[in-house]
Amino acid sequence: MELAGCFRRFRRYFPPLLPLLLLLLLTAFTASASAVRPCGETDYYYQYTECDSTGSRWRVAIPLKPGSCSDLPPPTRGTDCSFSCPAGMYLEMTSQQCTPCVAGSYSLGSGLRFDQWDAIPAGFTNLASFLDPGPNGEDVQACNSSSWLPQGVYLESNRDECTVSLVYAVHLEKQGSVSFTYQYPDNNIFFEFYVQNEQCQEMVQNDDQKWIKVTNNGEWGTHTVGLKSGMNILYWRTTGILVGGKKVKPVLLRNIQIEGVAYTSECFPCRPGWFSSAPGSSSCQPCPSDTFSTKGALSCTPCPAHHYSNEGWPQCKVKLPCSQKDFFQVHTACDGEGKTQVLYRWVEPKICVENVTGAAALPAVGEREPCPPCNPGYYNSNDSTCLPCPAGTHSDGTNACAACPAGTEPMLGYEYKWWNVLPSNMKTSCFNVGNSKCDNMNGWEVAGDHIRSGSGSSDNDYLILTLHVPGFKVPASLSAVTRSDFGQITFSFETACSADCELYFMTDVNSKSTTVVESWEGTKSRQSYSHSMSRNASVTYTWAFQRTSRALDSRSFVGDTVKLYSISVTNAVDGVASSCRACALVPRDSRRDSSSCVPCPAGFFIEGDTNRCLECPPNTHLAVGVASGQEACVRCGPASISNKEHSRCYSDCLFSHTENNRTLTFDLGLMSDVASLTVGPSFTSKGTKYLHLFHLKLCGHQGEPAAVCMDNVTDVSSRDEQGDDAAQFVNSVNGFICQSTVIPADGRGFRTAISSQSVSLADTFIGATVEAALDGVEAAPDLFPASSRDLPDINFFYRSRKATASCEQGRSSVVSVRCDPEKSERGEPAVPSSCPAGTCDGCTFHFLWQSSSACPRCTEDDYHQIEGACKGGMQVTLYVWNEPKLCTRGVALPSRSSSPCEAITLWLKVGVGGGAVLAVLLVALSCYFWKKNKRLEYKYSRLVMSANKECELPAADSCALAEGEEPEDDVVYTQKPSLLRKLRAIANKNQEGESSESVLLNTAAQSDRWVLG
């Protein structure tokens, strides 16, 4: 071991002296072993030394067992270092000549090929490089079990979010290349291939070489990269972006081939199940079905009776008794009498035996039944076949085609709901990533009122159904209504599964790349799904059904099925018409035919009585798919207006609210630009750190949905496309609110952050109000802290009609705008702390946007005045805001003002004050005396009336003055009079016209007494 270590160190630091060292060592070894027997040809093998600086090398003999023999052949000069043999030959070291491989083996000449994946071949290494810090700072090593998995004929990547690299190191004597065949169907896996040199420096590669192109579902792609001479370390690296809880589809590798190695000193035997019948072969061929072979076979052997095998199998299996899983039913095409019947056929290849005990027999042919009607837009011909209606006509499928009436146009499209035969623009196929045994099978079978998945050859087959639409043509009546939707596909389906089945719905625009639009796992009840086409281009819609993703070569879940009941596509350019739609007619003064249809201008609808174009009323928008009648114009929601084209409603950033007889006016113009909100970080079960990135467009800008979210885990080759066509293939969404999932660069060692799973959360503005609900969308004020200010929140309601598997009615969003003078004018949106992803149910998203711009405009009620003291004949008036100030902009605070005033001395102020008090007292006394006098007069009159009911005065001794007597000045009272009574008596005495004295009447008992003074 020490000698070997010394030899390696010497070879590293002194490579030019290596051949001389080998000669010296061999000479010494030969001299010391002169007593050992001479070596035969079976005791050693030849090997070349490392190439020296001149490009030459030596051939030396290496003993199989050191010290077991002597007299090894002496070293001889070898072939040139750049020498290599052609494919199908190997370098025979004894003669140093290229020799053809024998039958049953193959050689690539100067290359290496890896196409057997029963195990990881020697030289390959799996590296799980995910050692990111977790949420608490600890090291996460949950990816130790993640690796590339061999699956027989291909290699499968990991399905989790770990970063796993498949590494292979190869030394090339000349420039060469590496090529491999792969499947990359899911862009939620980050897949890259790169090359490093022996100093671990990455070779210069362009994007096309580094980033692998996404393939269509079920298709294999080939990737080739040039290699330099010397050491090359090859990396196939995958990273799953698994943040939504949904499984990703793995990357598959097969047929890795490396060119540029110096020589091949031996041929490789064919693996079991493959053969090579002729010498000098560069590859082996798989054995046909019902045959098998062993390793290094020249030919294949037929299977014994009641045994079977598939292509490339190393052995045969026993055929089991037939069961119901081994046959399926089909409907025959309509015959000349309009009849059809049910037939049963064996699944091919037939791998069961039917003439044994317990085997199921093929059911009898069903009775002839009337054929289902033709699909809408078709008519039944004389030979009971369904043909499309001619242009300009329509049919419901049961009646003959009829021309559209004047003032109408046909509604072109496809509407398939009867499945007696497969329509001409639809195809079905079967595909398996590991073999080709189902390539000639029908993946789907028609069944009258539905089309269903076929049986396939094994449970992990992809059963594929495609529908091709060459393009879309928007009818004249809808040209002003379509906005960005050129067409729409709607289909009704259901699944019934006992395993982990999955149905994929995909689109392929202009045959560029297939994209998974939606998928459904497990059993699903009957439901409908719609998808809009936002571009006028050729598109192929694909349904792919897989019963299980596990590599099972059996038919255990053949009862798991999917049924499609109906498929409809609108505005297809080569479609047929099931009905007619009202259209706008040319003006009467036009020279064209008055019955010709013309498109209405943007924002106009077709008036029902005259079929003329009329503009929608203000603040209304055109309903999608509705062009005629007043109902085509839908009124915008509260606090929203329509744009010029009446294509959408939006908020102009102005809002008014009346409360307590006061109108509050809000101007949110400073919040009109797109705002961004990053939420997180969050961590997956494996420890991957990811963030939620939201873009929000609240109001203004004519309602353009300017919030854009983009993915950068896409087919990078599309970046090199030029013009507008390239932009159509960038995976981006726009709307009022959109969301992306971002894996930061510091979390996984990427050179840039990865953005994926971009979705639009709001493409329609419903309205704004202080209420908590609008048009079925509810705000959740309890999710946010209550406002400490006496101002209502303004709730902006949005909706996205695009349905998903979890949100059948689409998503909705609520942005609550709140006044906060302590925030900036732009403010900052936030999500609920209890729902850090912005949503608690996955379908309704809630945001709180606090800003000083969300406060109402200032009015005169928001400030008050303060008057200062009069100093030097001048008085100052100040204006200050009410505290706390809950308004912004609007009315400005009045400036400080001064006005003249007069100063008054202290003694004058005291005198004026005293006089005012006395005046008040005198007025009070006068009132009191007047009131008492009135009361006395009243009592006196009552006394008189009670004393003499006949209105006569009572008798008295002397009631008048005698002649010569002087009137008395005083009145004598029976009781001691008070001061008030004396004053009253004096006042009565001096009254004019009185001739008698004042009398005090005490009580009713004393009414007959008159006492005089």
Side-chain angles (χ1 to χ4, degrees), residues 295-628:
K295 185 177 182 180
L298 283 69
S299 61
C300 301
T301 304
C303 291
H306 302 304
H307 286 68
Y308 76 97
S309 71
N310 291 321
E311 183 183 71
W313 277 20
Q315 58 185 1
C316 299
K317 294 183 179 181
V318 178
K319 291 183 178 181
L320 300 177
C322 293
S323 65
Q324 293 183 353
K325 298 179 181 180
D326 295 306
F327 60 82
F328 61 96
Q329 76 171 35
V330 295
H331 286 253
T332 63
C334 289
D335 56 20
E337 299 178 0
K339 301 289 185 178
T340 183
Q341 59 185 157
V342 175
L343 298 179
Y344 294 89
R345 296 176 181 172
W346 294 111
V347 175
E348 296 295 340
K350 184 181 177 183
I351 57 174
C352 65
V353 181
E354 57 179 314
N355 52 357
V356 296
T357 303
L362 200 65
V365 178
E367 296 182 0
R368 298 174 69 234
E369 300 174 351
C371 289
C374 295
N375 283 310
Y378 290 79
Y379 70 97
N380 200 332
S381 64
N382 295 330
D383 57 354
S384 299
T385 59
C386 293
L387 299 177
C389 287
T393 63
H394 70 284
S395 171
D396 59 359
T398 58
N399 299 315
C401 300
C404 288
T408 63
E409 62 180 345
M411 297 174 58
L412 298 180
Y414 313 131
E415 188 176 356
Y416 301 137
K417 59 182 181 180
W418 299 109
W419 304 93
N420 188 56
V421 294
L422 195 66
S424 59
N425 58 349
M426 298 187 70
K427 295 181 180 180
T428 178
S429 60
C430 178
F431 175 80
N432 191 295
V433 297
N435 55 67
S436 59
K437 57 185 180 181
C438 81
D439 288 356
N440 296 322
M441 295 183 177
N442 286 334
W444 295 66
E445 299 289 346
V446 294
D449 63 343
H450 66 273
I451 182 172
R452 58 180 293 164
S453 54
S455 58
S457 61
S458 58
D459 290 332
N460 64 339
D461 292 342
Y462 284 100
L463 308 176
I464 298 173
L465 179 69
T466 61
L467 169 63
H468 180 69
V469 181
F472 297 89
K473 180 182 179 182
V474 178
S477 57
L478 295 179
S479 59
V481 187
T482 56
R483 304 182 194 174
S484 59
D485 295 337
F486 287 87
Q488 179 174 275
I489 182 172
T490 302
F491 58 91
S492 174
F493 72 97
E494 69 176 355
T495 59
C497 301
S498 59
D500 57 332
C501 72
E502 188 163 8
L503 173 65
Y504 300 91
F505 173 64
M506 300 170 286
T507 60
D508 181 8
V509 180
N510 283 342
S511 302
K512 293 290 184 179
S513 178
T514 299
T515 301
V516 177
V517 177
E518 191 58 79
S519 62
W520 298 266
E521 297 181 3
T523 299
K524 297 295 181 183
S525 60
R526 184 168 177 174
Q527 56 187 275
S528 295
Y529 179 80
S530 298
H531 174 71
S532 297
M533 187 65 183
S534 59
R535 182 185 179 199
N536 190 4
S538 171
V539 60
T540 298
Y541 298 107
T542 300
W543 295 264
F545 180 68
Q546 188 180 37
R547 292 186 171 92
T548 179
S549 59
R550 291 170 286 176
L552 299 178
D553 192 13
S554 63
R555 289 202 293 258
S556 303
F557 306 113
V558 71
D560 295 359
T561 60
V562 57
K563 296 180 180 180
L564 279 177
Y565 290 97
S566 63
I567 301 175
S568 64
V569 180
T570 62
N571 303 338
V573 70
D574 63 341
V576 293
S578 60
S579 60
C580 300
R581 177 193 289 112
C583 64
L585 301 179
V586 298
R588 293 184 176 89
D589 56 354
S590 175
R591 295 182 179 179
R592 294 173 54 187
D593 184 4
S594 60
S595 63
S596 300
C597 293
V598 295
C600 287
F604 284 67
F605 72 99
I606 303 172
E607 202 276 327
D609 296 333
T610 62
N611 280 34
R612 308 297 175 184
C613 296
L614 296 179
E615 186 176 6
C616 281
N619 297 331
T620 61
H621 69 92
L622 287 167
V624 177
V626 181
S628 61

Side-chain angles (χ1 to χ4, degrees), residues 727-779:
Q728 297 290 342
F729 298 102
V730 177
N731 190 6
S732 65
V733 296
N734 63 339
F736 291 101
I737 304 174
C738 63
Q739 176 195 20
S740 295
T741 301
V742 177
I743 299 179
D746 59 352
R748 300 305 296 268
F750 296 138
R751 297 166 181 81
T752 183
I754 298 176
S755 175
S756 66
Q757 301 179 3
S758 297
V759 294
S760 174
L761 306 180
D763 50 31
T764 301
F765 178 59
I766 304 175
T769 177
V770 296
E771 303 298 330
L774 181 64
D775 194 26
V777 181
E778 296 185 0

Side-chain angles (χ1 to χ4, degrees), residues 897-914:
S897 63
S898 300
S899 59
C901 62
E902 295 182 0
I904 304 177
T905 59
L906 179 62
W907 67 268
L908 184 58
K909 294 180 179 179
V910 173
V912 173

